[in-house]
Amino acid sequence: MSTPASFGNLLRTLRKRVGMTQGDLAAAVGYSIAAISALEQGRRLPDVEFVMQRLVPALAVTDTPQLARQLVEQAAAARGERPPTISSIQRAAQAPQEETIVLTGRLPPLPTPLIGRTAQVNQICDRLLGHGGRLLTLVGPPGIGKTTLALAVAAQLHHYYSDGALFVALAAVSDTTRMVLTIATAVGCSDGGPKPPQTKLIEFLRRKNMLLVLDNLEQLRDAAPLVAELVAECPGITILATSRERLHLRIEQRFKVLPLDLAAAVELFVQRAHAVDTDFHLSAHNQSAVEAICQRLDCLPLALELCAAQVDMFAPTQLLAHLQARRLDLLVDGAQDLPLHQRTLRTAIQRSYDLLDEAERALFRSLGVFVGGFDLDAAAVVVGWVVEMEGGRQETGDGILKTEDWRLKSENGRPNGSLQSLLSTLHALIGKSLVRVETTPEGEQRFLLLETIREFVVDQARAHGEEAQLRQRHYAAYLHLFRTGDSHLRGPEAVAWFARLALEQDNLRAAMQWALDEQRYADAVWLQIACRWFWHHLGHWYESGQWLAQLLPHRTTLPLNLQLYTVTQVVAMGRAMPEFQPLERWKDELLHLLTLCPDQHLQSAAWHFIAAYSADFAQRAAAWERAVACARAARNTPTLGPEFCLLADCDFILGSTLWAYATALIEQGQFPQALPLLMESREIFQRRVSQYEVADSSGTLGHLALLQGDLAQAHAYLHEAIVTATEFNYQEMIGLWQPVLGLVTLYRGDPAEARRLLIASLHLATELKDKTFLMRTCADLAETALCEGLLNEASEWLKQSLAHQANPRRNDAYEVARLWVAARLAVAQQQYLRSATLFGLAEAIHRQIHYAIGGPMRALADAALATVQAALEPAAFAEAFAAGQGMSLEQAFSVIRESIG
């Protein structure tokens, strides 16, 4: 072998000779990768003694004295020093390093490459080598990868200890006597002599400098004293333990092992799947399914490995479907070199469950009904412990709690015995890594179970006959929470309550599904009433409609007032739900129910939505008048109880009805009639300090200013509305007013910013699945493209707007605006006859709504109309214009579709 020209070249050659990467060599000698790279590139001078003591053994040249001598001599030459004597180099090369022998014989290699844990390995190494102490426990739930992480840390640190690192598997050990014997056997402590095994072990380890990895301590209830004594009596011993709970020792550091992040989880799944099926690769076709699988499995390494082992039988989409049904039944048949308790995920969790005492098991089973987490109050209700009701415990005949004011009992400001028991038992489950704790942005504690663990405890509750009662209590807890929250959502505390309720959406859905599954349709409606305004605020029209659709076939079984509410909501949500259209088919049923149900609150809501979705404005105006009259009557003589939530809020019903009527009048161009209603509504909401409704009225005032041509005032009002809506995450309001702000911005001469606002609005409308928002936003984007001279783009946006048309028979300002866009586009395309026809239809609608809209829209339309009149013969123009005046909107849409292809 020829000698390379420098120490760095020789080091690189010897490293590659033994198949090591720079990272491998760095780990073996205790350097960083950057330091090894600097040595190889000649940017760092080698330490001769370090080369003899560390690099020579690590590069496996101890049996090749010539290579060892060359490496040491090159190191000395690089420093300009005389090389050590040949005999000293030979002694260093021939003296095997004990840590290398220990590593090979007593530290198992990682069974698979470590993925996604580099940062955690470095953090743990830093803590063990720092001044935090000589005992660190890795804690986490079953299957999270504590053992693999501990092995990786030991492999990184073994060279820092003269006696290396030692791994001791204790999963099969059940008492401290056997624990002592297992450790003694592993370290090579003789079992002869009269002394007790623990004494002999401590005397043996006192002479050692070693990292001791104690794996799976959770089942050894008395392990802590032994571990404490080992640390206290053996100053050269550092212990890295793995357990599902900490040891509760003062000298202990704790490191909580978390699930992998999604990218690492996907990488692990793909790696293990490829080991099973070499044809398996991540692709655009299967990536979304693989990511969903990883999320469904909580990104737990053991669960991912067990699931990936099934790819020879199931495609990722099939695996996902099986996981959604019964994930624990799929996660079986683990590798034979896994410990027995890790060959199925159910067995791994069962092992933790078996180690609990009876009180812990009972609480653990109860927590499975929560989805997405829970707080202490909800846990107390579901468990059935310490719930105090104002006026006593009140239940319906079927056990559903009805009272509106419950709280945890306390004695002299401190928890009573039962609550203290709940707290201590929950704390024990947290300590055993079976329940996780998170802190909300508001600083409140929130608890949750990993989904894989939650499925196990639901099975346990079902096996113990407890599931039905637990789900009933769960429903009661969240009905109460959303009723309580609703009373705060339209006042000064709205922001805090929206944030609190947003955390409970998964629990809300679970409670709703339980009511439907159990055919408790009235209970499902009560829950919908409780969350109605919350859903409206978030823009969850589509989801709310999906739940409502499941109730519709059973509406005749409901009490009369709930029937009226249900059908009213069908009309209210019709714009987002194609299943409910045409809305006219519900009108007769709604009118019939109005004759049977005398309550003014419910009547006002029903007339409100009859008005909102009637095609003829005269009918709409009459319905709005009825809605306002009913709202005023209900305000004077309220009759609904608080369980009706939003509908029983008399001020809100009146204020929102006035606002809606004013908005309808503005759309029809009846500005003088609209303004006093709008200002009365705004005054009501300002008194209530209701930020949502005040901001909504600002948006309406901005729209009115736009239609009157006052762009500066329009921008100020609309900007105010959007700032408030964005600050408090009012999605539905953003969807309504941001496109209007985009148009105002366009007309003020900033098309780039207008386009940004409208594209953002389009994404939101798509997310909300609101066809009306989509229709209007696409029309506004067509207007923007037209103003920029992008005719093909304008045609495409107009085509999309027509595809999202919600009501092709409704004549309002939005329809006129879209007709103008289509007519002006036809002018730009020099389709003058078609344009004249569309202008004729627009003028006819103007007359129907008694107002010719002004502002920039009117000016642009007038300019385009003048171009058409100049381009056509007067007779041809008059004929086409008259034809448009006689068209219906449906006919006009056909004309527009023909013109844009």
Side-chain angles (χ1 to χ4, degrees):
M1 178 176 181
S2 60
T3 304
S6 68
F7 171 81
N9 288 339
L10 178 58
L11 176 60
R12 184 184 302 108
T13 299
L14 294 178
R15 173 175 62 76
K16 292 183 176 180
R17 171 178 174 265
V18 293
M20 299 179 80
T21 65
Q22 288 183 341
D24 295 333
L25 183 58
V29 302
Y31 267 28
S32 67
I33 295 175
I36 297 297
S37 177
L39 285 172
E40 291 185 353
Q41 294 176 26
R43 294 184 288 103
R44 175 173 178 159
L45 293 178
D47 179 88
V48 177
E49 188 67 23
F50 172 82
V51 172
M52 294 172 61
Q53 298 298 324
R54 292 288 186 184
L55 282 177
V56 167
L59 292 168
V61 291
T62 55
D63 57 348
T64 315
Q66 182 182 359
L67 293 178
R69 186 169 62 253
Q70 287 179 359
L71 186 65
V72 175
E73 289 175 350
Q74 288 282 16
R79 298 185 66 89
E81 300 175 355
R82 293 175 59 86
T85 63
I86 294 176
S87 60
S88 62
I89 297 174
Q90 288 175 338
R91 282 196 300 272
Q94 292 169 359
Q97 291 265 321
E98 189 174 356
E99 68 263 26
T100 303
I101 297 173
V102 169
L103 177 65
T104 302
R106 297 195 276 180
L107 191 63
L110 289 174
T112 58
L114 190 68
I115 294 174
R117 297 294 197 192
T118 302
Q120 292 94 317
V121 169
N122 292 337
Q123 291 170 16
I124 296 166
C125 289
D126 289 344
R127 290 176 65 176
L128 286 171
L129 295 175
H131 301 287
R134 292 184 292 112
L135 170 63
L136 188 148
T137 306
L138 306 182
V139 296
I144 205 163
K146 300 182 294 293
T147 299
T148 303
L149 185 57
L151 283 171
V153 170
Q156 187 93 337
L157 293 183
H158 74 95
H159 57 268
Y160 284 95
Y161 302 89
S162 58
D163 294 299
L166 178 70
F167 179 85
V168 184
L170 297 170
V173 176
S174 57
D175 60 70
T176 51
T177 300
R178 289 187 61 197
M179 178 181 172
V180 169
L181 295 174
T182 301
I183 297 173
T185 300
V187 299
C189 177
S190 170
D191 60 357
K195 293 182 180 179
Q198 186 165 328
T199 302
K200 289 187 292 181
L201 175 63
I202 289 172
E203 290 178 349
F204 181 85
L205 291 178
R206 280 197 185 114
R207 305 189 298 272
K208 298 293 180 181
N209 177 244
M210 176 185 292
L211 174 64
L212 196 58
V213 181
L214 303 180
D215 189 46
N216 287 116
L217 288 179
E218 59 268 359
Q219 79 283 358
L220 291 160
R221 297 184 180 278
D222 299 323
L226 172 61
V227 172
E229 188 172 5
L230 289 175
V231 174
E233 297 293 332
C234 307
I237 298 297
T238 296
I239 294 178
L240 176 61
T242 75
S243 177
R244 293 172 195 176
E245 61 178 312
R246 62 191 180 96
L247 299 174
H248 299 279
L249 295 171
R250 287 182 298 170
I251 57 174
E252 177 187 26
Q253 301 180 72
R254 182 179 60 167
F255 187 92
K256 186 179 293 185
V257 183
L258 300 176
L260 296 172
D261 63 36
L262 182 58
V266 169
E267 184 181 352
L268 176 60
F269 180 90
V270 172
Q271 179 206 82
R272 300 312 304 149
H274 185 73
V276 174
D277 180 0
T278 55
D279 292 331
F280 185 90
H281 299 282
L282 190 67
S283 66
H285 178 69
N286 65 21
Q287 182 168 353
S288 61
V290 171
E291 290 177 349
I293 287 170
C294 295
Q295 291 170 326
R296 192 77 180 170
L297 295 175
D298 301 313
C299 295
L300 288 178
L302 176 60
L304 295 169
E305 181 169 348
L306 294 173
C307 187
Q310 311 290 334
V311 297
D312 57 344
M313 294 189 298
F314 302 108
T317 52
Q318 293 173 308
L319 283 174
L320 182 59
H322 285 298
L323 289 174
Q324 289 170 340
R326 295 284 297 170
R327 84 196 79 198
L328 290 182
D329 292 342
L330 185 69
L331 305 179
V332 296
D333 297 329
Q336 292 300 305
D337 58 346
L338 283 171
L340 283 174
H341 67 276
Q342 290 188 328
R343 293 184 188 173
T344 77
L345 189 59
R346 188 185 298 277
T347 304
I349 302 172
Q350 181 75 52
R351 184 170 181 266
S352 290
Y353 179 77
D354 291 341
L355 294 173
L356 303 176
D357 63 32
E358 191 50 48
E360 292 167 348
R361 290 179 193 171
L363 177 57
F364 195 30
R365 292 194 300 269
S366 300
L367 301 181
V369 295
F370 293 107
V371 185
F374 57 94
D375 58 21
L376 187 60
D377 286 4
V381 174
V382 168
V383 173
W385 289 346
V386 291
V387 177
E388 180 182 280
M389 305 293 209
E390 190 176 78
R393 187 179 181 87
Q394 301 177 19
E395 299 183 355
T396 62
D398 53 16
I400 296 297
L401 303 172
K402 286 287 190 179
T403 187
E404 295 306 309
D405 186 12
W406 55 16
R407 58 190 180 276
L408 297 180
K409 284 183 180 179
S410 62
E411 294 174 356
N412 300 322
R414 293 181 298 176
N416 68 11
S418 297
L419 177 56
Q420 189 60 53
S421 175
L422 170 61
L423 290 169
S424 62
T425 308
L426 180 60
H427 190 263
L429 293 176
I430 294 167
K432 292 173 169 61
S433 302
L434 295 173
V435 176
R436 296 175 63 185
V437 184
E438 293 181 349
T439 302
T440 68
E442 292 72 35
E444 300 291 329
Q445 281 194 324
R446 185 168 177 79
F447 313 98
L448 69 157
L449 278 64
L450 294 175
E451 282 298 298
T452 44
I453 293 176
R454 194 179 74 82
E455 182 177 311
F456 173 86
V457 294
V458 168
D459 287 346
Q460 292 295 316
R462 187 175 298 126
H464 283 74
E466 300 165 345
E467 185 183 16
Q469 185 179 47
L470 290 171
R471 292 201 180 279
Q472 183 170 289
R473 290 173 178 168
H474 177 269
Y475 166 89
Y478 288 98
L479 175 65
H480 167 74
L481 176 64
F482 276 85
R483 281 179 174 174
T484 302
D486 179 82
S487 66
H488 297 282
L489 293 183
R490 294 172 298 282
E493 298 178 329
V495 174
W497 271 96
F498 273 122
R500 179 176 177 183
L501 296 181
L503 297 172
E504 305 297 353
Q505 291 185 83
D506 288 334
N507 281 308
L508 171 65
R509 294 173 181 123
M512 187 77 73
Q513 191 61 58
W514 169 81
L516 290 169
D517 290 344
E518 294 297 312
Q519 301 180 17
R520 303 173 74 133
Y521 302 119
D523 289 329
V525 176
W526 284 122
L527 193 55
Q528 284 214 352
I529 290 172
C531 65
R532 174 70 181 86
W533 185 240
F534 173 74
W535 270 338
H536 175 84
H537 156 77
L538 295 180
H540 287 186
W541 289 83
Y542 186 80
E543 179 181 359
S544 180
Q546 290 289 331
W547 290 112
L548 185 62
Q550 297 181 64
L551 285 167
L552 278 181
H554 313 286
R555 63 187 182 280
T556 57
T557 67
L558 301 172
L560 179 61
N561 52 8
L562 296 188
Q563 285 188 55
L564 178 57
Y565 171 84
T566 301
V567 179
T568 299
Q569 292 310 302
V570 170
V571 177
M573 296 175 190
R575 75 179 191 183
M577 296 293 294
E579 297 94 321
F580 298 161
Q581 297 172 8
L583 295 177
E584 285 76 7
R585 66 191 173 104
W586 300 100
K587 190 172 181 180
D588 288 342
E589 182 175 350
L590 190 56
L591 290 171
H592 173 68
L593 290 171
L594 279 170
T595 65
L596 301 176
C597 182
D599 186 86
Q600 297 292 332
H601 302 81
L602 296 173
Q603 290 222 359
S604 178
W607 284 114
H608 178 120
F609 291 109
I610 289 173
Y613 296 102
S614 293
D616 179 76
F617 183 70
Q619 294 177 359
R620 293 170 67 197
W624 282 123
E625 294 290 350
R626 293 284 297 273
V628 170
C630 288
R632 293 192 190 282
R635 193 186 193 195
N636 295 329
T637 56
T639 55
L640 288 186
E643 68 273 12
F644 278 89
C645 299
L646 171 71
L647 294 171
D649 188 339
C650 299
D651 279 348
F652 177 83
I653 291 294
L654 177 58
S656 60
T657 303
L658 290 167
W659 171 83
Y661 189 16
T663 300
L665 289 168
I666 289 170
E667 289 182 2
Q668 299 299 315
Q670 299 183 24
F671 302 160
Q673 298 93 323
L675 194 57
L677 299 177
L678 181 59
M679 298 313 293
E680 181 184 355
S681 169
R682 186 176 176 88
E683 195 175 311
I684 290 172
F685 292 130
Q686 284 176 328
R687 283 200 307 268
R688 292 167 58 101
V689 196
S690 185
Q691 292 165 311
Y692 181 98
E693 290 77 17
V694 171
D696 219 1
S697 65
S698 296
T700 307
L701 288 168
H703 185 210
L704 175 59
L706 168 63
L707 297 178
Q708 292 176 316
D710 188 344
L711 295 182
Q713 188 69 64
H715 191 276
Y717 273 130
L718 288 162
H719 184 263
E720 175 188 325
I722 297 303
V723 166
T724 303
T726 303
E727 181 180 358
F728 300 117
N729 195 32
Y730 296 151
Q731 297 290 295
E732 201 264 349
M733 186 188 298
I734 295 172
L736 180 62
W737 296 126
Q738 188 166 263
V740 185
L741 179 61
L743 278 186
V744 171
T745 304
L746 173 69
Y747 297 141
R748 296 183 81 197
D750 191 350
E753 175 63 9
R755 184 180 292 272
R756 185 193 70 78
L757 289 167
L758 290 170
I759 291 296
S761 300
L762 183 67
H763 291 322
L764 177 59
T766 302
E767 181 181 330
L768 297 178
K769 299 180 181 178
D770 191 307
K771 295 183 69 173
T772 300
F773 287 172
L774 283 167
M775 175 267 290
R776 293 176 180 176
T777 305
C778 288
D780 293 340
L781 281 163
E783 167 77 344
T784 304
L786 181 58
C787 287
E788 294 179 290
L790 305 172
L791 304 188
N792 290 336
E793 183 182 329
S795 295
E796 287 301 315
W797 284 122
L798 195 56
K799 186 186 300 183
Q800 288 193 40
S801 178
L802 292 170
H804 295 302
Q805 175 59 36
N807 188 347
R809 290 182 291 173
R810 179 173 172 180
N811 296 343
D812 60 22
Y814 290 105
E815 291 302 346
V816 174
R818 182 162 60 176
L819 284 169
W820 273 340
V821 173
R824 288 168 47 223
L825 177 59
V827 174
Q829 295 170 330
Q830 299 183 358
Q831 297 175 355
Y832 298 122
L833 285 173
R834 198 182 304 277
S835 177
T837 301
L838 293 173
F839 273 124
L841 175 59
E843 285 300 322
I845 295 177
H846 282 169
R847 287 197 299 272
Q848 291 174 28
I849 66 174
H850 310 297
Y851 188 80
I853 297 174
M857 297 87 77
R858 182 76 243 189
L860 289 168
D862 287 344
L865 181 60
T867 300
V868 174
Q869 290 174 317
L872 295 174
E873 291 293 331
F877 173 80
E879 182 180 353
F881 195 83
Q885 289 180 309
M887 274 186 182
S888 67
L889 277 177
E890 290 96 326
Q891 291 171 321
F893 292 160
S894 297
V895 172
I896 297 171
R897 288 190 181 98
E898 289 175 12
S899 66
I900 62 178

